[in-house]
Amino acid sequence: MKPANNHGLKRVFRATGFSIKGLKSAWQNEAAFRQEAILAIIMLPIALIVDVSTTERILMVMTLLIVLIVELLNSAIEAVVDRVGDEIHPLSGQAKDIASAAVFISLALCAITWAIVLIPLI
């Protein structure tokens, strides 16, 4: 149910609170998100320190963030599917598999981008 008088800065503050709540929930309940977040925390300083162009640096950071974004969406899809019911259903499995594939593609994109940027430096 939508709250009354939910516009302007009040809406922004409420939305920010919900976003923080979602990040906390993902950290507490999703091992994959924790692993990818820790990896991003480790890799972010590398992206900022390595001697590459600004464009390459932006691509390196963006691919890290894309992995986290896609993992959050994957977790949300899994939560909704699990909420709908406990019974095994082909469409439930399909939804989870497709969301998982999106995470895999984002990880591959990140790995390929980082390899393309860093291998020439070796």
Side-chain angles (χ1 to χ4, degrees):
M1 186 166 127
K2 282 187 166 183
N5 194 19
N6 188 28
H7 59 277
L9 281 178
K10 184 175 182 179
R11 185 196 63 77
V12 172
F13 286 123
R14 286 177 50 85
T16 301
F18 293 139
S19 297
I20 292 169
K21 183 178 177 182
L23 287 169
K24 285 180 182 178
S25 176
W27 181 265
Q28 292 171 348
N29 300 307
E30 300 295 332
F33 179 76
R34 282 193 304 274
Q35 293 166 352
E36 291 158 353
I38 290 168
L39 189 61
I41 290 167
I42 292 168
M43 294 174 74
L44 183 61
I46 295 169
L48 298 176
I49 292 169
V50 70
D51 186 24
V52 294
S53 72
T54 301
T55 302
E56 291 169 326
R57 188 177 326 281
I58 290 169
L59 288 171
M60 292 170 75
V61 172
M62 284 178 55
T63 56
L64 291 174
L65 296 176
I66 287 169
V67 169
L68 296 177
I69 292 166
V70 175
E71 184 60 53
L72 288 169
L73 294 171
N74 175 51
S75 297
I77 289 168
E78 288 183 353
V80 169
V81 168
D82 291 345
R83 168 65 177 95
V84 170
D86 292 333
E87 73 278 354
I88 303 294
H89 192 282
L91 290 177
S92 296
Q94 183 180 359
K96 287 184 168 190
D97 291 346
I98 291 170
S100 178
V103 173
F104 176 78
I105 290 171
S106 72
L107 287 165
L109 172 67
C110 186
I112 290 166
T113 301
W114 278 64
I116 290 170
V117 171
L118 295 179
I119 287 175
L121 300 178
I122 299 175

